[in-house]
Amino acid sequence: MHELAICESIVHAVREHAAGRPVRTVHLRIGNLRQVVPDTLIFCWSLVTDGSDLAEVELLVERIEGRIRCRQCHGERVLDDYVFACDRCGGVDVEVVAGEEFLITALELTEA
Ligand SMILES: [Zn+2]
């Protein structure tokens, strides 16, 4: 379950950026091409933060759909089938333009 390791990294990043200020919510943006299950991530978050000062912090996950662009015809489409081929010209010379994100986009701090 690599979500556990991811959560430990998030804890680390949140502590660094919050710099001691109390955090209420962590906003994440995760591409669909990342092998991350949001429910598992949120479950792991509760395990990792249990009993700590981050125990009440909520994770909010925004998913980004995968998109590929064809280098031949420049067609772009949603990648919902893991078939890395262009649906316009059939070319396989494609690049991923979205869906590989893994970002902490915002920290909401608790009002003091
Ligand atoms: Zn194409």
Side-chain angles (χ1 to χ4, degrees), residues 70-75 86-91 93-94:
C70 176
R71 289 194 179 99
Q72 275 169 18
C73 74
H74 305 290
C86 177
D87 61 352
R88 259 167 48 179
C89 71
D93 186 13
V94 296

